[in-house]
Structure formats: C-alpha cells, structure tokens
C-alpha cells in the first residue's frame, strides 16, 4: 500500500533522510525502531505532508499514486493518518467541533453528504467508550489541558472515527503509563484489518508487546539499515542501537 | 501656536469652515469650532494620532446630512423591519438625529430627552471639537438610581453625508444597564463623528457593546466615560467595517474602587484602517482596569492599538492589566501595537502585553492532517481567536450577534 522509494529529505539544508526505502502492506503492521535523531519523526511528517521539509529526491506512493505533491488534507482524504507524537493544542476550538469538521471534510472529499448530528454523536460516543475517553473532555478545546495519556487516546479516537487506510503512529507510546498503553494498543488492534496498513514508529520494544508487528525495520542515520520479523525488536531491546550507529559511522 | 498658524489649511479644513459658517450656531458651538481651527485636523505629529494621519487621509468633506424628512424615515422604517432586534428596547438615530417615531418608549426608570446644548465633555481633541461644533440635539438618557431596566439598543442608521451624533447617558447610583450601540447603514459617502458621554454615579454598573458594522468612509467615535466610587463599566467593541475607523475611548475613575473592562475585536481586511486608542486614567485609589483587544489584519489592512493607562500619584492599590494581540494574515498587513503605562503611584499592580504574529503553522498542519482544507482550517483558527475575545461579553444575545458577525466576516473572506 505504502511505498517509500529512495527518499531524501532535508530541513533548513540539513539532510535528515538519505535514500530511505520502505514498504507497508495492507493487513500488516510495520514497526520502525531506531535511535533518537535517526529521522523516524521526519519520515512520519513527510508522509503526512508537513510543509517544513524539503524533499530532495525519491517518492512516497500510496497504492502507486505519488503523495508528495498533495496538500496534507488531500492525503488525509486518500486515507493517510498520522497519530502525532506531540498532538497540537488548539485553544478556542472545541474537540467535538474539530472532530465533526474533520469527518465532514473527508466525507465531502469522498462525495458523501455530511453526517447528521445524531449519527455523528453515536460514532463519537462509541469510539470514546472504546478508548476510555470521557465524553465531557471532548467539549474542551483540542488537546488543551489534556494529560499526555489523554492526548494519545484522543489521537487514536480520531483514527477510529476517520477510518484511514494507512495509519502512521509516531511514538504513540511516549508518555504513557502501562494502563494507558494497553488502552491505546487495544484501540489500534481493533482497527487492524486486511485493508489497512500500519506504520508504528517507536523507540522502545514495549509497545510492540501489545501491537504485534509483522515486520520490524531498524532506522539509523536517515535510512532503513536492517529489516526482520518481530524477533528483531527483542534483539534491539537486548543489545540497544549501538551496533547500527557504529555500522553507519564506519560506512 | 505659531506652528499651527504657519500650516496652510487643507481643502478639507477649508470645507469644514465653509460648512460651519453656513450654520446658525450657538456660542458654545462657535467656541468649539474656534478650538478646532486652532488645532486643525490631527496629524502624525500629534502623539495620540501618530498612526492615523487624519489630515492626510481626509481628502474631502461630505456635505452635512440633512435632518431626516418623512421620506427618509419611511425608507429607514423598511430597513428596520428586516433588522432583527438584539436588545429589548430599541432607540434609533437616523443620520445622527434621534427618530422618535421609529423608537421604542423608554422603559420604567429611564427617561429620554433631546438637549440642544449638552455640556462640554472633559476631553479636548480636534474630533471632539468638531462634534461639539456640528452635532445638534443630543440624545440625553437618564437612568434612575437603583433602576435595572431591560437591555437597551442604540441603533445608528446612517445614510451618506457628514453625520454628527451625540448621546449622553447618566446612570444613577446603584443602577444597572446593558447597552448595545450599533453603527449601521453607512456607505463610502458617509463621514461619521459620534460622541457618547457616559457618567456612572456611585455603585452604578454599565455593560456597553459597540458594533461598527457598516462601510463608512470615515468613522470617528469618541466614547467618554466617568466613574464615581465603586461604579463599573465594561465595553466591548467589534469593528468589522469602515474604510477609516477610529475609536478613541477616554475613561477616568474619579471615585475610588471603580472597575473598568475594555475589550474588543477588530477585523480588518482589504485596505481598511482601524484604530483603537484608549486613555484610562486612574484618578482615585483602588481602581481596577482590564483591557483585552484582538485584531485580525488581512490583505493590505492596517490596525492600530494605543492603550494608555495613567495612574495618578494618589491612585494607590490600582490593579491594571492590558493585552493587545494581533494576527497578520498577509505580508502587506500592518499592525501598530502600543500599550503604555504611566504610573505615578508606588503601590500598584499593572502589567501589559502586546503581540503581533501569524497563524501558528503547527495548528494549521494539524487540522489539515485530519482532512480539513487549508482555508477552512485557517477560518477555524481565526474564529477561535475572535471568540476568545467575544467571551468577555456577558449578555448572551449580544455575544451571539457578535459571533455571527465574526462568522460572516470569515465566510466573506473565504468566498
């Protein structure tokens, strides 16, 4: 579903990704692990279309169609979703208003009519219950005053509502205690199906105890340096990233 | 003095003199016009007018609007029929003159009369002098002590021409009123000069909301407010129209323990210019003042905020806080943001902050990443920015009307 081919990206003239290749298949979870500064978050932002980055080479294809020229909202309409590592606070915009605007914008992009308020409320309440999000919280401005765990749960709630085909999770485990981690992982697992691909970016193996990956990629210095099965994550947990950092430095 | 004498009159100043000499005027009006002539139209050399050079901007003078006749009043009546009411009691001024036939009777505890020679306001300024020289028949409103009448609306419906209006409101001790003042109907042929004088007796309270929502070429507005002991005055001003708008608000506490809250939202697109200039003088101890202004400036618009808070030497225990925040939506949009504190007392708490910035690209990206197209994402953020200012309006019906104006403005911009 997602093919990243020979992608090179820099920010303010500084190269971050250097010839990165990655595939994510429908029905699978691909984990990307790597040390800090290896470019994991950059990859997620470039897939979602954050404007600060300069793509100096390569392609990002979704079902064969290049995403790079599309606005972030057009990518979202094609089914791309990024669960942010640091969800953005938006004072003055009620979460409910935001969810409705997002859902209806995507429906319009697909040529569908707007959801009725009762249908919308039903969908939100269902997703909120699954993710143990207090519906009263959704009256508050987007992410303002939310705890770290609340922010992450609301990210997954958005994912559940918008039903994307490609889900990119950027360090969704950071800042979560073990109970919140389980709630978030259950939310993700519930969305796994044959038509949907996941790219799960994480620094630690612990998230992958709950979301079992089909493939694990190790990222270092802006590219994928090793790929393997779920066992690769365990190996990283034991040995750390030093081998890869050294291998890169020597190369 | 010699400086003023040395400056030749502009075409506008000459036209104003001609218009004045054609009027029959009282001695007070003559004195006021003489004062204007010594001052001349304000320029950027006048500190209070530094960012709005009226002398340069006022190229022409519209003829004085006539006293509205039956035909004019009939036409206004039709407009009124499709203007929804926001407050309970509505008074209408047409071309600066109170129109009794179109207005509701004053509620119990409130009296209303027309005064040919209202007293001179404490403020001296070229624009105030012009108003004193040209305005006729001030609307004089008295609210009895301890009265709490239903909400009042003062609706200015102005056609083309030079329009001078004067409204005086005296709020008796312990009385409580809520007023909505709207300026509507004006077009590019309208030059408006409105003066509102509000006095609040001991313990009186007044919530005043102003909407400048039409397209006057020139909107000059001078609210002058004086508060006695423990009185409270709150004003919110929405500016969403007018080619050149200047609201100059002069507030003073002359009694201890008075509370003032001034706030507003200016929506400035195209080539419009909107200036909000405040002077808040704490002339008595234990006063409180809060100023909170937001400005959205787009295209080639320009915004001005000057807020001066003066704390007199004996005005101890004053509590003042001022904020002015602007969002610029284009590289050619301009904002001059100038909060000022002049503190002569030593036991006070006063702070101010002014910011000018752009929409936060992280917020825009977050919304877009959820499928919301950029124009809609920006409109959502701007609406939120404006709504946070409108939250300061207590009257829900008025706040709803303000939110609707904001929403319409954003929709017009997106179209």
């Amino acid at each position: 579903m997602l093919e990243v081919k020979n992608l090179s990206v820099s920010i303010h003239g500084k190269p971050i990704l250097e010839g990165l290749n990655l595939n994510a298949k429908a029905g699978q979870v691909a984990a990307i692990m790597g040390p800090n500064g290896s470019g994991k978050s950059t990859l997620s932002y470039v897939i979602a279309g954050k404007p600060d980055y300069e793509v100096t080479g390569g392609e990002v294809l979704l079902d064969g169609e290049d995403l790079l020229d599309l606005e972030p909202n057009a990518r979202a309409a094609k089914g791309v979703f990024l669960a942010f590592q640091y969800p953005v606070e938006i004072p003055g915009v009620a979460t409910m208003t935001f969810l409705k605007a997002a859902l209806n914008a995507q429906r319009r992009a697909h040529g569908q009519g707007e959801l009725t308020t009762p249908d919308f409320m039903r969908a939100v309440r269902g997703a909120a219950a699954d993710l143990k999000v207090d519906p009263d919280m959704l009256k508050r401005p987007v992410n303002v005053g939310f705890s770290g765990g609340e922010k992450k749960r609301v990210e997954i709630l958005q994912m559940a509502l918008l039903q994307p085909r490609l889900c990119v999770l950027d360090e969704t485990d950071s800042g979560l205690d073990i109970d919140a981690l389980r709630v978030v992982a259950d939310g993700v697992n519930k969305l796994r199906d044959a038509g949907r691909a996941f790219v799960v970016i994480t620094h630690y193996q612990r998230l992958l105890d709950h979301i079992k990956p089909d493939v694990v990629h190790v990222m270092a210095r802006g590219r994928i340096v090793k790929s393997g099965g779920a066992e690769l994550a365990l190996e990283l947990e034991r040995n750390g990233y030093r081998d890869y950092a050294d291998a890169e430095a020597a190369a | 003095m010699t400086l003023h004498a040395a400056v030749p009159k502009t075409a506008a100043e000459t036209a104003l003199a001609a218009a004045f000499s054609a009027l029959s005027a009282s001695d007070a009006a003559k004195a006021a016009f003489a004062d204007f002539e010594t001052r001349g139209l304000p320029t950027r050399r006048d500190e209070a007018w530094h960012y709005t050079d009226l002398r340069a901007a006022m190229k022409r003078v519209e003829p004085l609007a006539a006293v509205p006749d039956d035909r004019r009043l009939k036409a206004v009546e039709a407009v009124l029929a499709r203007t929804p009411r926001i407050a309970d009691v509505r008074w209408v001024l047409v071309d600066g003159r109170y129109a009794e036939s179109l207005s509701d009777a004053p509620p119990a505890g409130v009296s209303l009369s027309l005064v040919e020679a209202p007293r001179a306001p404490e403020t001296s300024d070229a624009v105030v002098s012009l108003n004193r020289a040209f305005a006729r028949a001030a609307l004089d409103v008295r609210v009895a002590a301890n009265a709490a009448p239903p909400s009042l609306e003062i609706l200015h419906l102005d056609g083309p021409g030079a329009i001078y209006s004067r409204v005086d409101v005296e709020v008796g001790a312990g009385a409580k009123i809520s007023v909505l003042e709207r300026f509507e109907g004006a077009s590019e042929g309208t030059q408006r000069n409105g003066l509102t004088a509000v006095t609040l007796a001991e313990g009186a309270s007044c919530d005043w909301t102003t909407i400048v929502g039409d397209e006057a070429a020139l909107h000059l507005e001078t609210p002058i407010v004086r508060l006695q002991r423990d009185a409270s005055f709150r004003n919110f001003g929405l500016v969403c129209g007018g080619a050149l708008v200047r609201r100059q608000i002069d507030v003073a506490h002359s009694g201890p323990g008075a509370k003032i809250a001034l706030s507003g939202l200016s929506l400035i697109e195209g080539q419009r210019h909107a200036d909000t200039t405040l002077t808040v003088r704490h002339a008595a101890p234990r006063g409180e003042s809060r100023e909170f202004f937001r400005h959205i400036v787009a295209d080639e618009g320009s915004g001005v905020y000057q807020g001066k808070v003066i704390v007199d030497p004996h005005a101890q225990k004053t509590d003042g806080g001022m904020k002015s925040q602007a969002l610029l939506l284009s590289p050619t949009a301009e904002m001059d943001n100038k909060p000022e504190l002049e503190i002569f007392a030593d036991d006070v708490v006063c702070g101010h902050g002014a910011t000018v910035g752009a929409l936060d690209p992280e917020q825009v990206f977050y919304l877009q990443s959820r499928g919301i197209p950029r124009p809609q994402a920006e409109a959502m953020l701007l609406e939120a920015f404006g709504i946070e200012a409108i939250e300061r309006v207590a009257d829900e019906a008025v706040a709803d009307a303000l939110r609707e104006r904001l929403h319409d403005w954003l929709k017009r911009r997106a179209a």
Side-chain angles (χ1 to χ4, degrees), chain A residues 35 218 232-245:
Chain A
V218 182
L232 182 53
L234 296 167
E235 184 194 315
L236 285 170
E237 186 76 357
R238 279 196 306 275
N239 301 338
Y241 293 111
R242 219 175 49 191
D243 299 350
Y244 301 99

Side-chain angles (χ1 to χ4, degrees), chain A residues 3 23 34 66 69 92 107 147 163 185 203 205 215 222 228 232:
Chain A
E3 292 170 90
N23 284 331
D66 197 350
D69 287 332
R107 290 178 67 90
S147 71
Q163 296 280 319
H203 193 75
Q205 131 78 19
V215 240
L232 182 53

Side-chain angles (χ1 to χ4, degrees), chain B residues 247-393:
Chain B
R247 300 192 71 223
Q248 42 177 21
I249 307 177
D250 173 2
V251 184
H253 297 191
S254 49
K259 285 186 179 167
I260 291 168
L262 305 176
S263 53
L265 174 65
S266 296
L267 309 173
I268 311 164
E269 84 287 15
Q271 296 183 309
R272 303 202 296 104
H273 175 87
D275 174 341
T276 301
T277 292
L278 321 172
T279 313
V280 177
R281 176 180 286 270
H282 292 266
R286 290 183 289 102
E288 185 186 297
S289 73
R290 289 286 179 277
E291 292 79 33
F292 184 90
F293 286 83
R294 282 189 163 173
H295 323 262
I296 300 176
V297 194
D299 310 325
E300 293 163 51
S302 53
V304 177
Y305 174 81
Q306 302 185 98
K308 187 189 275 191
V309 174
I310 304 159
V311 183
D312 283 356
H314 59 282
Q316 300 293 3
K317 307 277 182 203
T318 291
D319 177 355
M322 172 158 44
K323 239 182 208 167
S324 170
Q325 302 171 324
L327 280 180
L328 300 185
L329 303 187
S330 92
T332 45
E334 201 184 308
M335 179 75 205
D336 292 296
N337 219 346
K338 188 178 160 204
E340 270 182 281
L341 296 176
E342 289 181 9
I343 301 176
F344 302 101
D346 48 20
D347 183 13
V348 300
V349 183
C350 283
H352 67 72
T355 58
V356 178
L359 278 177
D360 182 350
E362 303 283 330
Q363 293 179 341
V364 176
F365 171 60
Y366 188 71
L367 294 176
Q368 272 195 287
S369 78
R370 298 311 185 233
I372 300 171
R374 174 180 277 272
Q376 192 191 344
E378 291 182 353
M380 281 175 79
L381 295 173
L382 293 174
E383 191 156 8
F385 181 78
I387 282 175
E388 286 185 324
I390 296 171
E391 273 168 8
R392 280 156 179 78
V393 176

Side-chain angles (χ1 to χ4, degrees), chain A residues 44-100:
Chain A
S44 73
Y45 281 144
V46 171
I47 294 170
K50 195 164 195 253
D52 318 353
Y53 298 92
E54 191 195 347
V55 176
T56 54
E59 291 174 306
V60 176
L61 305 175
L62 186 71
D63 293 331
E65 189 187 353
D66 197 350
L67 291 180
L68 291 176
D69 287 332
L70 299 179
E71 285 279 303
N73 51 293
R75 299 184 196 200
K78 293 208 179 290
V80 176
F81 182 94
L82 168 63
F84 282 55
Q85 182 181 3
Y86 303 108
V88 179
E89 296 186 3
I90 307 188
V93 177
T95 307
M96 216 57 150
T97 309
F98 159 67
L99 294 175
K100 198 169 184 187

Side-chain angles (χ1 to χ4, degrees), chain A:
Chain A
M1 176 178 293
L2 174 74
E3 292 170 90
V4 179
K5 291 183 179 170
N6 203 24
L7 183 67
S8 294
V9 170
S10 45
I11 185 163
H12 308 309
K14 185 181 167 223
I16 308 283
L17 301 184
E18 299 183 76
L20 182 136
N21 290 291
L22 173 75
N23 284 331
K25 294 194 175 75
Q28 291 201 346
V29 171
I32 298 183
M33 302 183 70
N36 290 328
S38 57
K40 304 190 298 293
S41 285
T42 296
L43 174 63
S44 73
Y45 281 144
V46 171
I47 294 170
K50 195 164 195 253
D52 318 353
Y53 298 92
E54 191 195 347
V55 176
T56 54
E59 291 174 306
V60 176
L61 305 175
L62 186 71
D63 293 331
E65 189 187 353
D66 197 350
L67 291 180
L68 291 176
D69 287 332
L70 299 179
E71 285 279 303
N73 51 293
R75 299 184 196 200
K78 293 208 179 290
V80 176
F81 182 94
L82 168 63
F84 282 55
Q85 182 181 3
Y86 303 108
V88 179
E89 296 186 3
I90 307 188
V93 177
T95 307
M96 216 57 150
T97 309
F98 159 67
L99 294 175
K100 198 169 184 187
L103 202 53
N104 281 330
Q106 296 214 13
R107 290 178 67 90
R108 271 196 301 278
H110 298 143
Q112 297 166 306
E114 297 199 346
L115 269 188
T116 63
T117 301
D119 284 347
F120 168 72
M121 294 302 292
R122 207 170 297 126
V124 172
R125 282 212 195 90
D130 285 347
L131 289 153
K132 301 194 166 44
V133 169
D134 178 358
D136 274 349
M137 202 172 94
L138 302 177
K139 294 178 187 159
R140 285 164 34 198
V142 178
N143 292 318
V144 177
F146 291 12
S147 71
E150 286 171 337
K151 285 180 182 170
K152 297 301 174 77
R153 275 183 279 153
V154 172
E155 289 291 288
I156 305 305
L157 183 152
Q158 293 172 41
M159 196 164 90
L161 272 182
L162 295 172
Q163 296 280 319
R165 293 190 306 134
L166 172 66
C167 306
V168 181
L169 278 63
D170 186 8
E171 308 243 0
T172 295
D173 49 337
S174 70
L176 293 188
D177 63 29
I178 195 71
D179 294 324
L181 186 68
R182 192 166 292 125
V183 171
V184 164
D186 288 349
V188 171
N189 288 329
K190 213 176 153 189
L191 289 170
R192 288 178 76 158
D193 76 31
R196 188 169 283 141
F198 284 84
V199 174
V200 177
I201 293 172
T202 181
H203 193 75
Y204 300 105
Q205 131 78 19
R206 110 186 147 144
L207 178 66
L208 304 179
D209 288 339
H210 301 276
I211 304 172
K212 293 271 183 264
D214 298 289
V215 240
V216 174
H217 302 285
V218 182
M219 193 166 165
R221 308 244 172 149
R223 66 187 75 159
I224 303 294
V225 293
K226 189 170 185 184
S227 301
E231 72 290 346
L232 182 53
L234 296 167
E235 184 194 315
L236 285 170
E237 186 76 357
R238 279 196 306 275
N239 301 338
Y241 293 111
R242 219 175 49 191
D243 299 350
Y244 301 99
D246 289 351
E248 274 293 299

Side-chain angles (χ1 to χ4, degrees), chain B residues 93-98 136-137 156-158 163-166:
Chain B
L93 277 77
V94 178
D95 301 336
R97 308 287 183 130
Y98 174 63
R136 297 286 179 274
H156 298 258
L157 277 169
D158 294 336
I163 288 163
Y164 294 87
S165 64
R166 168 84 187 254

